[in-house]
Amino acid sequence: MAKYTLPRGLFDILPYGFRELWQEVHLWQYLEKIVRKTAQCYGFEEIRTPLFEQEKVFSIGMATSDIVMKEMYLFEDRKHRPLALRPEGTSAVLRAFFEGGLSHTRKVHKLFYLAPMFRYEKPQKGRYRQHHQFGAEVLGCAAYEQDAEVIDLLISLYRNLGIRELHVDINSVGDMPSREAYKAALLDYLTPQKEALSPESRVRFAQNPLRILDSKAPGDRQLLEGAPSILDFLTPECADHFSGVLATLEELQIPYTVNPKMVRGLDYYQKTVFEIVSSDLGAQNAIGGGGRYDGFPSLFSGQDLPGIGFGTGLERLLQTMLAQGSPIPKKEAPFVFSLPLERTARPPLLRLTQSLRKRGIFAEIALYKGKIQDLLSRAEKRGASYCLIMGAEEQKRGVVRCKEMDLRKEEVVPIQEAASYLAKKWEKR
């Protein structure tokens, strides 16, 4: 029994001994490799920000979002300065972007991150108090084609991971004039039914009525069925932008459905908002999403840059891949496993193992006692292709027994030639 255990909502990522397959580090390494390769194909460059920042970095422009009101991990340092663990990536990227002077280096900036996020919420499958996100941000480009390219990047990632039945749910939440006009119409519709709303939506009624559209309460969903559509209140510029996004998605052959009630959970979105869903996953089918946030960057520097981005949880991706049976390469196994049967055989086999590693060959050595059958069994469990066996007799003759595990075939090779012999086998594998 372990003396110490993890707090609720956290998990370890282990090389073996994991409780669930998605917690195996090999799968995370594979996923991160595909993420980086896909992002780089689209011209995105990696950015890394600290785990915690000043609290106001994350609360600016998001005062009524659930992240700020319910979910942020807040604490003070020894000088009583308010700090927060990073709950989402966009704000941290914008702070680093302007503080680092990146805005002066080029016109358009395409950045991505792979990072843990922290939110105090009820833990459930795919949602944890520390979770990991792949996020991408484009700053400096207002073109509607840019919205479509960002969506295409996310779709391409999912396809590269073998995730099936992908579809885009998309909406426009317009700009400030669009939302003010829609807000008035929505309040007119909801006011006679205010008392029938859920307690949470009654709070949103006063603070940010558009967030009521995001409610998951069945009663709220039923009340909203007859609500006016925000698409009827878009300014001409916003309507043209949204039409251009949809036309570009059609050009890229990306299937989509317009969902006028989608607002997403962050206050800073303007114009395009979207989610990617997989119809294979039942009710909880959203695996990633994002939107445009023109105007939000100005809160960090006064420089009014257009921006668009997304986030997708890695835990959710891994669980989706496993549920759909996506092809995942096997964990790499040692090519060579050296088995010294005597203590005196360890130095020559260590030197040989070192020589193989310098050639880029995955080589292991058993530096512990054991019977030969037990050692061979361990090597077999590790998936080794060849075992090098040296006991007192082999050491006296200056040779090593090279056992090919799959064929159960064994050759005796001079110790001085073993590295070259195995290097040729490695090249032919």
Side-chain angles (χ1 to χ4, degrees):
M1 178 67 69
K3 185 176 180 180
Y4 302 105
T5 58
L6 279 174
R8 188 169 181 238
L10 306 182
F11 58 89
D12 294 310
I13 302 169
L14 303 171
Y16 47 86
F18 39 83
R19 293 184 179 181
E20 297 189 53
L21 187 55
W22 65 267
Q23 293 176 263
E24 183 185 4
V25 72
H26 159 64
L27 301 186
W28 285 78
Q29 291 168 341
Y30 167 71
L31 172 57
E32 290 163 2
K33 177 182 176 182
I34 300 301
V35 164
R36 286 192 167 90
K37 183 176 180 181
T38 305
Q40 288 162 2
C41 280
Y42 281 72
F44 284 73
E45 299 177 79
E46 187 172 4
I47 185 171
R48 304 187 187 194
T49 63
L51 291 179
F52 66 89
E53 307 229 13
Q54 297 179 60
E55 178 272 337
K56 61 185 178 182
V57 168
F58 302 114
S59 61
I60 186 172
M62 295 197 295
T64 64
S65 68
D66 285 350
I67 287 177
V68 172
M69 296 180 68
K70 301 178 182 179
E71 298 172 359
M72 275 210 297
Y73 276 91
L74 301 170
F75 63 99
E76 291 184 346
D77 65 11
R78 294 189 178 187
K79 292 190 176 180
H80 306 291
R81 290 170 292 206
L83 302 171
L85 295 178
R86 178 178 55 212
E88 60 94 30
T90 301
S91 296
V93 168
L94 289 173
R95 192 273 312 150
F97 176 80
F98 288 114
E99 186 176 0
L102 273 65
S103 60
H104 305 298
T105 61
R106 59 181 71 165
K107 185 176 180 180
V108 177
H109 310 261
K110 301 168 81 171
L111 305 168
F112 81 91
Y113 55 85
L114 280 164
M117 307 291 164
F118 304 86
R119 297 185 189 177
Y120 189 87
E121 57 183 340
K122 183 179 179 181
Q124 53 186 297
K125 190 174 181 66
R127 297 174 69 92
Y128 306 93
R129 290 180 175 173
Q130 176 179 307
H131 64 281
H132 300 75
Q133 276 193 5
F134 163 51
E137 317 288 346
V138 180
L139 297 166
C141 183
Y144 57 74
E145 293 92 346
Q146 185 62 73
D147 301 27
E149 186 198 41
V150 165
I151 294 170
D152 185 43
L153 163 58
L154 194 50
I155 287 278
S156 292
L157 170 65
Y158 296 154
R159 287 174 175 162
N160 291 343
L161 293 170
I163 296 174
R164 304 188 302 271
E165 303 299 325
L166 297 168
H167 190 88
V168 179
D169 274 1
I170 193 167
N171 190 27
S172 175
V173 293
D175 54 10
M176 192 59 70
S178 304
R179 287 202 299 278
E180 286 301 316
Y182 178 62
K183 177 180 173 182
L186 184 62
L187 287 175
D188 285 346
Y189 173 80
L190 290 174
T191 296
Q193 310 174 79
K194 180 180 176 182
E195 295 308 312
L197 292 170
S198 65
E200 185 174 44
S201 288
R202 287 199 294 273
V203 172
R204 289 173 171 174
F205 186 93
Q207 294 180 341
N208 187 351
L210 268 67
R211 290 294 316 285
I212 296 174
L213 300 174
D214 202 34
S215 173
K216 302 298 186 291
D220 292 348
R221 303 304 301 171
Q222 188 173 357
L223 283 175
L224 289 167
E225 285 181 4
S229 168
I230 192 170
L231 297 178
D232 295 330
F233 296 84
L234 297 181
T235 62
E237 191 271 334
C238 289
D240 288 346
H241 184 95
F242 191 50
S243 296
V245 174
L246 300 184
T248 309
L249 291 178
E250 292 169 11
E251 184 72 23
L252 296 174
Q253 298 184 323
I254 296 175
Y256 67 85
T257 297
V258 175
N259 178 0
K261 292 186 172 64
M262 182 194 299
V263 293
R264 301 281 297 164
L266 298 173
D267 295 344
Y268 51 63
Y269 285 129
Q270 291 194 28
K271 297 182 180 175
T272 309
V273 291
F274 63 90
E275 288 183 345
I276 313 296
V277 301
S278 174
S279 56
D280 262 4
L281 299 178
Q284 298 295 322
N285 60 356
I287 51 178
R292 180 164 283 281
Y293 48 84
D294 298 353
F296 185 50
S298 66
L299 299 180
F300 289 81
S301 76
Q303 186 176 351
D304 191 11
L305 283 178
I308 183 170
F310 65 73
T312 183
L314 302 191
E315 293 83 359
R316 182 76 167 138
L317 285 188
L318 286 170
Q319 290 166 6
T320 301
M321 291 162 63
L322 292 169
Q324 292 192 344
S326 300
I328 298 171
K330 291 182 179 180
K331 181 179 180 180
E332 188 175 3
F335 186 68
V336 177
F337 211 117
S338 297
L339 307 178
L341 304 183
E342 306 287 345
R343 187 65 181 260
T344 55
R346 292 181 185 178
L349 281 185
L350 265 173
R351 288 194 296 271
L352 176 55
T353 302
Q354 180 193 52
S355 176
L356 292 170
R357 290 167 175 167
K358 287 181 177 179
R359 294 170 183 248
I361 298 171
F362 185 178
E364 267 279 27
I365 183 169
L367 297 173
Y368 40 79
K369 290 183 179 180
K371 296 179 181 179
I372 185 169
Q373 288 306 320
D374 292 337
L375 294 173
L376 285 169
S377 178
R378 291 185 189 184
E380 189 171 32
K381 286 178 181 177
R382 290 289 306 279
S385 299
Y386 291 88
C387 278
L388 300 179
I389 304 165
M390 179 179 280
E393 181 61 29
E394 289 82 15
Q395 191 176 2
K396 186 187 301 182
R397 294 168 53 199
V399 299
V400 64
R401 287 156 51 200
C402 182
K403 187 178 185 70
E404 189 171 354
M405 298 298 284
D406 285 346
L407 300 179
R408 305 292 177 183
K409 187 173 68 174
E410 189 173 287
E411 290 188 53
V412 176
V413 181
I415 188 73
Q416 300 300 328
E417 299 174 13
S420 297
Y421 172 83
L422 289 162
K424 291 177 182 176
K425 300 284 188 184
W426 172 261
E427 291 170 2
K428 294 178 181 179
R429 73 192 189 287

